[in-house]
Amino acid sequence: REAVLSKLRDFLARELMKEHALVVAPSAPLDLDSLEQTEIRVFLEEEFGLPLGGVPFSGDTLEHFVSLCVMTSKDSPVVQEAVHAEDAR
C-alpha cells in the first residue's frame, strides 16, 4: 500500500501540480475536478495495469485511490509486487 501511495503522491505533485499531495493525510480531500480524476484513472491503469474501465470513482482522497488499486489488483502483477515488497520490509 505504501508503494502505491508513494507513486500516486509523486504523480499528483508532478503531473497535476497538486504539491500538497506529498504531505496531506491519506484521508484528506484532494479537491479534484473531473479531468484530474480521469488523469488519475489513466495513470493507475497505465502504471499498475489495473482494469478500471467500469470502476466508478466515488472519492477524491489518496486513501480512496490506494484502496481502489488494492481491490482491483488481483490481476495486476505490478501492484501485487509493490504490495508484497512493502509487506516484506
Side-chain angles (χ1 to χ4, degrees):
R1 291 181 74 93
E2 288 300 316
V4 174
L5 178 60
S6 177
K7 285 187 177 208
L8 185 55
R9 284 182 188 273
D10 288 343
F11 170 77
L12 288 166
R14 185 175 25 86
E15 299 296 327
L16 299 183
M17 304 306 199
K18 298 277 186 184
E19 288 84 11
H20 68 284
L22 294 173
V23 295
V24 72
S27 60
L30 295 170
D31 298 319
L32 302 170
D33 62 29
S34 61
L35 179 59
E36 290 168 328
Q37 287 188 358
T38 299
E39 290 184 46
I40 291 172
R41 178 187 296 271
V42 170
F43 167 75
L44 296 175
E45 288 174 341
E46 290 177 353
E47 182 72 21
F48 300 114
L50 298 176
L52 298 176
V55 178
F57 274 31
S58 59
D60 74 340
T61 66
L62 290 167
E63 189 173 75
H64 168 76
F65 294 118
V66 171
S67 294
L68 187 64
C69 285
V70 172
M71 288 184 329
T72 59
S73 66
K74 293 180 234 166
D75 301 323
S76 174
V78 177
V79 172
Q80 288 302 318
E81 182 179 318
V83 169
H84 291 302
E86 188 64 35
D87 289 345
R89 289 187 206 181

